[in-house]
Amino acid sequence: MTNSKLIAYLGPPGTYSYQAVTQYFGKTPAGHYEYVPLNTIADCFTAVQDGTAAYVVVPFANSSNGPVKFTYDLLLKTSPRPSIVGDTNVKVVHYVLAAPATLQRIKQSGEDAVRTVYSHPQVWGQCTRYLAAHFPNAARTSVDSTAYAATLTASERNAVAIASIAAADIANVKVYAAEVQDNQDNYTRFLVMQRYVEGTERTELDLSVDRELLGS
């Protein structure tokens, strides 16, 4: 077992993964543990496999548009696969965020002033109706996290992001529209994983995830 006191998640702070990690472990983790944001889901897998992190929290599946492909692929390919020791469901509420200058341009010229929408690729399938109605001609640019999407919009005048309200505060951008997800009961399931120790018996949660991965 690792001696690490780090709990890693898909960062930066303000992501839904950050909400998941604080929901599961608490705002301040016990036992002298420390939260550390990583850039990608792959980085999270590497951190737990090499012992850099004691635990990692990664998105697994969304109630509106199914599996998180990056996580599924890594769970299938990584050997030995990390042990799944817990899970938590986070209610996902999406906001359209923009810099003040962009909001002013929308007010003056309408929503066609928006040329780019930034978000995590998992978000597009959760906000199809809103995007079709409000930004049908804007380019959809996928980035590694919703929080990073919010950060990008802070310095642009013709772009918006779809992200959490927490990301708005961190990136210092404003809310243009709230609760833009298609399904108001929109949840993402996150897995809590630690490094697999050879010879350890898999938990029932572990085995149930195996069944989901294999489609049984």
Side-chain angles (χ1 to χ4, degrees):
M1 295 294 288
T2 178
N3 292 320
S4 173
K5 289 292 187 179
L6 299 180
I7 301 172
Y9 65 95
L10 178 62
T15 60
Y16 294 107
S17 292
Y18 179 73
Q19 290 182 226
V21 78
T22 56
Q23 182 172 293
Y24 188 86
F25 289 100
K27 292 291 185 184
T28 303
H32 304 291
Y33 282 90
E34 179 183 349
Y35 296 139
V36 57
L38 298 179
N39 292 329
T40 67
I41 293 172
D43 290 341
C44 291
F45 272 76
T46 299
V48 78
Q49 287 296 89
D50 67 16
T52 302
Y55 300 96
V56 294
V57 178
V58 294
F60 179 64
N62 177 263
S63 59
S64 296
N65 59 342
V68 177
K69 184 179 186 302
F70 306 109
T71 303
Y72 261 60
D73 287 348
L74 286 165
L75 285 169
L76 289 167
K77 294 174 183 176
T78 303
S79 181
R81 176 172 63 68
S83 295
I84 299 163
V85 296
D87 63 352
T88 188
N89 291 311
V90 172
K91 185 167 185 179
V92 177
V93 181
H94 291 308
Y95 292 76
V96 178
L97 309 177
T102 303
L103 295 182
Q104 186 62 31
R105 292 194 69 180
I106 294 173
K107 184 177 180 180
Q108 293 172 345
S109 306
E111 291 177 332
D112 284 342
V114 174
R115 303 291 179 83
T116 306
V117 182
Y118 293 110
S119 199
H120 186 274
Q122 195 75 9
V123 169
W124 308 130
Q126 299 171 25
C127 303
T128 54
R129 290 197 295 269
Y130 182 88
L131 288 167
H134 294 268
F135 305 119
N137 300 316
R140 300 180 189 180
T141 300
S142 296
V143 295
D144 286 333
S145 72
T146 52
Y148 181 55
T151 300
L152 288 173
T153 65
S155 59
E156 297 195 24
R157 297 187 60 192
N158 61 356
V160 299
I162 299 180
S164 69
I165 191 64
D169 294 334
I170 292 169
N172 197 28
V173 291
K174 303 298 182 182
V175 174
Y176 174 67
E179 300 186 18
V180 300
Q181 67 274 8
D182 295 338
N183 182 357
Q184 296 307 305
D185 290 321
N186 185 34
Y187 288 86
T188 295
R189 181 187 179 195
F190 290 81
L191 301 181
V192 182
M193 305 190 299
Q194 66 181 21
R195 186 177 185 179
Y196 175 70
V197 176
E198 192 67 35
T200 303
E201 186 175 348
R202 293 286 186 180
T203 66
E204 178 53 39
L205 178 59
D206 247 332
L207 296 174
S208 71
V209 169
D210 280 340
R211 290 191 289 270
E212 289 184 58
L213 291 169
L214 297 172
S216 59

